[in-house]
Structures are given as C-alpha cells and as structure tokens.
C-alpha cells in the first residue's frame, strides 16, 4: 500500500475535548495505513489541548490563541496537511 495517497483527517476543536477525543478514537481505529490525524484547536479556554495531546501523543495539534472560526481554522489545517505532503 505504499502507493496509496497520504490522507489527512483535519478536525477542529473548541472547548469540547471529549467530543474531539471520541472523533479521534474512531478515526484512529481505521486500517488505512497512510492516514494522519490533525487537530486545530480554535483558541479553547479550557484544557482541551493537553487532554488531546495526552490521549493521542502522535496526533498533531495546532493550538491557536484565538478562535479563528470554522473556515479559517479548517483552512489552517488543510494548509498544514498539504505542506506535510497530503494528497
């Protein structure tokens, strides 16, 4: 499966670490070998980032200082995925 596309699943979080962790648990159970998970934390005021990083140390988390809104947050994640070689 080395020729398979590199796929990034980008999800946003804002003060909902339980929901984001549940999403990551489901995504991490996939068998696709070239799947990478990326979380954009949209300026959470709680302990979302440490909770997510502790539960999923291999998942990249982009922590933002402010809430960028859905579109800007998603675009930030997509730009990061493309820069990392996502197909």
């Amino acid at each position: 499966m080395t020729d398979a596309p590199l796929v990034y699943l980008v999800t946003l979080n804002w003060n909902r670490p339980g929901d984001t962790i549940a999403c990551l648990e489901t995504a991490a159970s996939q068998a696709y070998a070239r799947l990478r998970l990326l979380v954009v934390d949209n300026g959470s005021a709680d302990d979302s980032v440490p909770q997510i990083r502790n539960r999923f140390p291999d998942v990249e988390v982009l922590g933002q200082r402010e809430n960028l809104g859905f579109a800007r947050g998603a675009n930030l994640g997509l730009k990061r995925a493309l820069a990392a070689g996502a197909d």
Side-chain angles (χ1 to χ4, degrees), residues 19-40:
D19 291 341
T20 301
I21 288 169
C23 174
L24 293 172
E25 286 172 345
T26 299
S29 71
Q30 302 305 306
Y32 189 75
R34 298 203 67 210
L35 175 66
R36 304 294 177 267
L37 306 177
L38 172 64
V39 175
V40 177

Side-chain angles (χ1 to χ4, degrees), residues 1-25:
M1 215 181 192
T2 58
D3 293 333
L6 176 60
V7 175
Y8 267 72
L9 182 148
V10 178
T11 189
L12 275 63
N13 177 73
W14 185 66
N15 296 318
R16 301 292 298 252
D19 291 341
T20 301
I21 288 169
C23 174
L24 293 172
E25 286 172 345

Side-chain angles (χ1 to χ4, degrees), residues 17-86:
D19 291 341
T20 301
I21 288 169
C23 174
L24 293 172
E25 286 172 345
T26 299
S29 71
Q30 302 305 306
Y32 189 75
R34 298 203 67 210
L35 175 66
R36 304 294 177 267
L37 306 177
L38 172 64
V39 175
V40 177
D41 182 76
N42 238 347
S44 291
D46 61 7
D47 64 343
S48 288
V49 171
Q51 280 192 53
I52 294 166
R53 285 185 172 148
N54 286 336
R55 178 65 179 85
F56 291 93
D58 295 332
V59 170
E60 184 174 2
V61 179
L62 300 177
Q64 302 305 300
R65 293 179 187 216
E66 63 181 328
N67 189 332
L68 304 175
F70 179 80
R72 284 179 58 206
N75 284 336
L76 179 68
L78 291 173
K79 286 178 186 177
R80 173 66 190 113
L82 290 172

